[in-house]
Amino acid sequence: MEAFLKKKPGPGVERGAVDRPTIGGTDVLVEVKGAAICGTDVHIYEWDEWAANRIKPPLIVGHEMSGKVVEVGQNVDHISVGEMVSAETHIVDQTCLQCLTGREHVCQNMTILGVDRDGVFAEYVSIPAHNAWKNDPDLDPVVGAIQEPLGNAVQTLLPINNVEDIAGRNVAVVGMGPIGLMAVAVAKELGADKVFATAGGLNKTRIELAKSMGADQVFSAREEGREAIVKAIFDATDGNGVDVAVEMSGHPDGLVTAFEVLTKGGRVSLLGVFPKAFEVDLNRLMIFKAATIYGISGRLMYRTWFQVRGLLRRPTLRKKVSQVVTHRVPIRDLEDGYELILSKQAAKVGLLPKW
Amino acid sequence: MEAFLKKKPGPGVERGAVDRPTIGGTDVLVEVKGAAICGTDVHIYEWDEWAANRIKPPLIVGHEMSGKVVEVGQNVDHISVGEMVSAETHIVDQTCLQCLTGREHVCQNMTILGVDRDGVFAEYVSIPAHNAWKNDPDLDPVVGAIQEPLGNAVQTLLPINNVEDIAGRNVAVVGMGPIGLMAVAVAKELGADKVFATAGGLNKTRIELAKSMGADQVFSAREEGREAIVKAIFDATDGNGVDVAVEMSGHPDGLVTAFEVLTKGGRVSLLGVFPKAFEVDLNRLMIFKAATIYGISGRLMYRTWFQVRGLLRRPTLRKKVSQVVTHRVPIRDLEDGYELILSKQAAKVGLLPKW
Amino acid sequence: MEAFLKKKPGPGVERGAVDRPTIGGTDVLVEVKGAAICGTDVHIYEWDEWAANRIKPPLIVGHEMSGKVVEVGQNVDHISVGEMVSAETHIVDQTCLQCLTGREHVCQNMTILGVDRDGVFAEYVSIPAHNAWKNDPDLDPVVGAIQEPLGNAVQTLLPINNVEDIAGRNVAVVGMGPIGLMAVAVAKELGADKVFATAGGLNKTRIELAKSMGADQVFSAREEGREAIVKAIFDATDGNGVDVAVEMSGHPDGLVTAFEVLTKGGRVSLLGVFPKAFEVDLNRLMIFKAATIYGISGRLMYRTWFQVRGLLRRPTLRKKVSQVVTHRVPIRDLEDGYELILSKQAAKVGLLPKW
Amino acid sequence: MEAFLKKKPGPGVERGAVDRPTIGGTDVLVEVKGAAICGTDVHIYEWDEWAANRIKPPLIVGHEMSGKVVEVGQNVDHISVGEMVSAETHIVDQTCLQCLTGREHVCQNMTILGVDRDGVFAEYVSIPAHNAWKNDPDLDPVVGAIQEPLGNAVQTLLPINNVEDIAGRNVAVVGMGPIGLMAVAVAKELGADKVFATAGGLNKTRIELAKSMGADQVFSAREEGREAIVKAIFDATDGNGVDVAVEMSGHPDGLVTAFEVLTKGGRVSLLGVFPKAFEVDLNRLMIFKAATIYGISGRLMYRTWFQVRGLLRRPTLRKKVSQVVTHRVPIRDLEDGYELILSKQAAKVGLLPKW
């Protein structure tokens, strides 16, 4: 079959013909019908320090996908050939403390598709049946492929099983990458009062996209400055600040913004990964503010997926999520996809199975 | 001033001229600008057994209201003359265990406007400043007056501070009185996937109203039978049943429906008041189903009110809530209002300050 | 191997020689080292209506056990021969909504050891590796065998992941069977202020046992009457009632007691199974009290088990749990064990592997 | 009356005769019967940068106290002359978002006894009745005086209304000041499995004190090094790390320790105040660990106080809390008390009303 691989250490990817994967007794084989490029894929493409340390070539890259089941392992009886599925790409041991207490998403022995084992930028991929999430048959395969980042958005807003809901509350989303955009849409879908969107620097297209997600106000920190943004948000919230802030920028200034706009006793979720350690005033930002802070990694398996399924059945959200996919390219032009992201022309790039 | 009173034990109300109330140091005097009739008011009007035991005439009746502050007590500094407020009608001691642990709504020493002390079907009413909830200035006074039942709907769906949210989940609302109708609208506003509405018997108008609230399916138990309704709901939820059910009918059959349509481990809120004790199969409905059940009384003071304010700022919900007020009558025709409800012509009846 | 079986419908059990079980690839074979008799076993022994409808002979009975692993399936790599384990006797599908959202204990397709498939009153038993819970090597095998009912006690007190803790709170335990006794001990171990124990009728031995579990006051409803008990509990709790009540009696009067002694806004867990449906005043007990109610079925897999392991490492609790096993009999005298329970001489009967 | 005051900016305190305070209609006047020195008091005594910016002399210092009510305001009807009370020293407006949603402890307009208004190192103090917490009459006045820091310990372990309990879980307490010591005792009292105590440097006496609080292992970072401590804690917890860590040291190294010993998906509470901003690796410590983090400020008013009352009724905890008061000095020797703390001889210093 055809696939895109990291054949050896270094930047770039190469197309190649490889053996179609075989499956074990508890696996399913999926024919990829839609895929998408994640920020992680870009790190692997660029071969940054993290990638150089983690990736062991040769490796088929990519992990966001949906497709049709074409074969099921002999011990799998809840999935049938012909069903449409997406992959939860975190493969877990189901035996550690975390897996046995409803926290598979932080399994102590996790491997990841397209990072630790062959991924999905290929014609076929083998995944454990436990990781195959059934999609509604009519779901657009590209939307099906981005349920993982959508799940991140949902889990960032609703990080644990019983968390203060966001009905009628004010929310700030810091960082307007694809997950930030989806978080704006999800917050509005869940009954938020005002949703504020802010990021380091935003071009006109991205500002429009944030507004079409439902943001009440969109701020560009480079132009307006953090102080003015914080003031504007307090002014718009009866002087209280927001009840919930989600950090999706991965920038130190974004972290400070998330906490500065927060009302005392509010909550912040941290999803953005920071380039390195930096100086943080924990007293002012976290302690004196009596904030509750959630580190977010992955999505709840499978609470979040059920919620994503339900939310995608709502036409309003399904349409917005689809809009986040600003570009759809044939997978044979995968490198164009990477470049659209690197040049900041695209929010999310969908990949069509055209080889 | 003019007011409607229960002057002596027995059915009915009478209009009368009474002294304008005076206020204490921690009270505010409010000029009533909008009001509405609650089910409790109808019980008092009809003088049923509960009313006969509880009400001590003479008493100005009514409790759902909004109005303008015309005078503030000397120790009140967070409310000003001219502001628009609604009343939280549960007056609490702020010193008992419940009040001191975030549960004022179940204060051990509660008195209720229009039940235990003079109410709001009058030109003016005195309330403790602690019970005066500031409204957005542009809020329709009749919508302002029904924030208490809207708050019931919100609290029934989100009963405690940290409860499983309803994002992407399936919800059943049992009982299509005004609060049931609003619960349908609120559930949809909070991101529910499917919302099922069911009631004992529903005329065509009420079915249409339930649909316009956003119900995906509306059932009338009298016509369809409980068994068929339960089957239909399981069929529409991938065979799982609903994640959340709210009982607002006050009928034994509604209780059974709420639990029968529930998925194992789901949650049910009970708001409807039942006419009397009845036989309940706790094993089947609650225990083997591992259900979580919330008895609902009032609204969280003031968590729910903040959420109601935020939700009413969303045009979609504000419009739906307004639709639940099917009739608006001058308060001088108050008795017509009662009759509209008793004849089931009206969902909610708003009262305009025309004496 | 030797085993006790229900060979055909009807009361009693019979000893017999049967084939030693074989195991599948994901199972383990356990040599039983300790067992215990559960109330369910007594129902099966007596062949009541429930048993007659559910049990399909021939069937090896019994489900509470601990033992040594003597063989592991080829796909099992986290359990080794020689390790000591207990069985979680609820065997789940790991694919339904409940299993995929942290609620395996209410799996839609559950089978139970000793009820739906061969149980543990035998020399060996085969169980899925997923159901084998590793014990500390020094744990008394009989105590190891009663971790399921101990888990029930823990889950009844702490029913969900994020529930109001019981630190410094007042607790009522209704019903003084083995789980009720353990619930008293656990509540005290978790920092409860006062723990009240009550049951329908209690002989002197059982009252002493409840006191040795740590109960501050023990009531016998038959002698004292519900009204006096409720009064005594309010008197002892500054007039507030208890914060948490757990119903483990399965008697209608126990249900009423649990809610009557509850403070407004408190919580009740229901574990006791009632003989049949009965009249319940939901308004007074649940709704006006704004109670939160948890139906309890099984134990959280495996959150509760981890907690049980941790709690059993505390010498205070381990000793108390051991005391609940009032009798230890060789399994060859199993029928004596049933009779000790039926005659109310025993709280919990442990079984030693002496054939 | 006699009192200790900060008469003018600068280090030290001075004794002086001042007018006995008068009370308003909602206040009570309390005759101080026991008091204690808090870390905040030491900052004010030493006149550090924070103190110089915040304190406006002249001011009676001190805030931890208990005493007898000698006069009640005319509008106070739930407290009587002669009752024993302690002060919650955070005086709140009861009207802001936080106060109206169960979070008075983070009121937007808070003033603090002994910091923003006259404190308790005096013969009498006037406090709002809302801030007077009734003590059991037999409670040692010095123990009564340290319920605020004990409340901090409780709130750090149980930070919000519905938080994962600590029954059977492993806990690390970082920092062995008085609150750290009490946190060890409280964690054990609430059913923790293992409790690990660690601090930067610990003398022999303090190590013994930590052990007598119930710590299973006590570590001194200066001697053992962080890496060895982390390894020891993982070894002692089946390789999982602790479920809950509480940071009470206010040292950057303590922060890192708290997160490094944490199991993935665990929770950390931050109470210690850090001397300044410092470099934090948020990715590694918080995000990839999927930690939940609580900034702690004050105590829940009054949920935590009720729990403290209940816990102090348990003889085991009452005795341990009493042991944390290593020295009791007549208040006339207040300066000796400060020096006992500054020289690290004392854990907690109690003050007796001997002038």
Side-chain angles (χ1 to χ4, degrees), chain B residues 65-130:
Chain B
M65 77 96 186
S66 72
K68 187 190 282 192
V69 175
V70 292
E71 193 183 341
V72 302
Q74 59 191 15
N75 301 321
V76 176
D77 50 17
H78 68 292
I79 297 180
S80 307
V81 166
E83 290 190 301
M84 293 296 293
V85 298
S86 284
E88 161 60 61
T89 61
H90 291 179
I91 296 166
V92 299
D93 68 10
Q94 297 189 269
T95 62
C96 70
L97 167 67
Q98 277 68 20
C99 284
L100 293 177
T101 53
R103 295 175 290 182
E104 291 189 347
H105 65 299
V106 283
C107 170
Q108 292 184 25
N109 300 295
M110 186 182 289
T111 55
I112 302 180
L113 282 190
V115 172
D116 303 309
R117 57 182 264 176
D118 278 337
V120 306
F121 292 168
E123 289 185 276
Y124 297 91
V125 62
S126 162
I127 58 174
H130 183 62

Side-chain angles (χ1 to χ4, degrees), chain B residues 8-252:
Chain B
K8 56 179 191 303
V13 290
E14 289 177 68
R15 181 169 174 161
V18 297
D19 288 341
R20 189 164 147 167
T22 54
I23 62 169
T26 57
D27 297 326
V28 299
L29 186 70
V30 183
E31 184 186 353
V32 179
K33 295 292 190 185
I37 301 175
C38 172
T40 303
D41 298 323
V42 177
H43 291 299
I44 296 170
Y45 176 73
E46 296 197 297
W47 203 247
D48 67 7
E49 195 185 324
W50 169 83
N53 286 325
R54 176 77 173 261
I55 306 298
K56 309 291 171 222
L59 180 88
I60 298 175
V61 295
H63 62 276
E64 297 182 355
M65 77 96 186
S66 72
K68 187 190 282 192
V69 175
V70 292
E71 193 183 341
V72 302
Q74 59 191 15
N75 301 321
V76 176
D77 50 17
H78 68 292
I79 297 180
S80 307
V81 166
E83 290 190 301
M84 293 296 293
V85 298
S86 284
E88 161 60 61
T89 61
H90 291 179
I91 296 166
V92 299
D93 68 10
Q94 297 189 269
T95 62
C96 70
L97 167 67
Q98 277 68 20
C99 284
L100 293 177
T101 53
R103 295 175 290 182
E104 291 189 347
H105 65 299
V106 283
C107 170
Q108 292 184 25
N109 300 295
M110 186 182 289
T111 55
I112 302 180
L113 282 190
V115 172
D116 303 309
R117 57 182 264 176
D118 278 337
V120 306
F121 292 168
E123 289 185 276
Y124 297 91
V125 62
S126 162
I127 58 174
H130 183 62
N131 288 66
W133 176 257
K134 290 188 199 180
N135 290 327
D136 286 344
D138 66 335
L139 186 66
D140 168 1
V142 169
V143 171
I146 61 169
Q147 289 178 95
E148 281 211 338
L150 175 55
N152 286 129
V154 171
Q155 209 226 323
T156 305
L157 287 163
L158 302 171
I160 55 170
N161 253 351
N162 289 292
V163 73
E164 192 72 36
D165 59 86
I166 59 171
R169 300 183 199 283
N170 296 308
V171 177
V173 179
V174 180
M176 281 295 110
I179 301 182
L181 290 164
M182 290 194 283
V184 170
V186 171
K188 273 292 182 186
E189 199 79 12
L190 303 189
D193 177 3
K194 293 203 182 62
V195 177
F196 304 97
T198 176
L202 288 175
N203 59 33
K204 216 167 179 177
T205 321
R206 193 58 65 96
I207 288 173
E208 284 314 305
L209 198 46
K211 284 189 180 159
S212 71
M213 293 295 115
D216 291 273
Q217 294 184 45
V218 185
F219 302 102
S220 183
R222 202 168 301 147
E223 282 75 37
E224 309 179 51
R226 196 176 72 226
E227 205 177 320
I229 294 171
V230 172
K231 185 180 179 311
I233 291 177
F234 271 83
D235 286 349
T237 54
D238 306 325
N240 290 316
V242 301
D243 304 287
V244 178
V246 295
E247 207 307 301
M248 294 168 156
S249 74
H251 284 286

Side-chain angles (χ1 to χ4, degrees), chain B residues 332-349:
Chain B
R332 64 180 168 246
D333 301 326
L334 174 62
E335 285 167 287
D336 294 350
Y338 288 123
E339 297 303 327
L340 282 164
I341 292 171
L342 285 167
S343 64
K344 301 197 185 236
Q345 291 175 71
K348 196 80 189 173
V349 172

Side-chain angles (χ1 to χ4, degrees), chain C residues 111-164:
Chain C
T111 55
I112 302 180
L113 282 190
V115 173
D116 303 309
R117 56 181 266 176
D118 277 338
V120 306
F121 291 169
E123 289 184 275
Y124 298 92
V125 63
S126 163
I127 58 174
H130 183 63
N131 289 67
W133 177 257
K134 290 188 201 180
N135 289 328
D136 287 345
D138 66 335
L139 186 66
D140 170 0
V142 169
V143 171
I146 62 169
Q147 288 177 95
E148 280 210 339
L150 176 55
N152 285 129
V154 172
Q155 208 224 323
T156 305
L157 287 164
L158 302 171
I160 56 167
N161 254 351
N162 290 290
V163 72
E164 192 73 36

Side-chain angles (χ1 to χ4, degrees), chain A residues 162 164-165 188 192 307 314, chain B residues 162 164-165 192 307 314:
Chain A
N162 289 292
E164 191 74 36
D165 58 87
K188 272 293 182 183
Q307 294 192 288
R314 293 169 61 104
Chain B
N162 289 292
E164 192 72 36
D165 59 86
Q307 295 193 286
R314 293 170 61 105

Side-chain angles (χ1 to χ4, degrees), chain C residues 158 161-165 167-169 188-193 238 303 306-307 309-311 313-314, chain D residues 158 161-165 167-169 188-193 238 303 306-307 309-311 313-314:
Chain C
L158 302 171
N161 254 351
N162 290 290
V163 72
E164 192 73 36
D165 58 86
R169 300 183 198 283
K188 271 293 180 185
E189 199 78 12
L190 304 189
D193 178 2
D238 306 324
R303 189 199 73 156
F306 278 99
Q307 295 192 287
R309 178 189 283 159
L311 289 168
R313 286 174 178 167
R314 294 169 60 104
Chain D
L158 302 171
N161 252 353
N162 289 292
V163 74
E164 193 71 37
D165 58 88
R169 300 183 199 283
K188 272 293 181 185
E189 198 78 12
L190 304 189
D193 177 4
D238 306 324
R303 189 203 70 156
F306 278 98
Q307 294 192 287
R309 177 189 284 159
L311 289 168
R313 286 175 178 167
R314 292 169 62 103

Side-chain angles (χ1 to χ4, degrees), chain D residues 4-8 10-13 44-45 47 55 57-59 61:
Chain D
F4 280 95
L5 301 101
K6 179 73 74 178
K7 289 193 176 163
K8 57 179 190 302
V13 291
I44 296 170
Y45 176 73
W47 202 246
I55 306 298
L59 180 87
V61 295

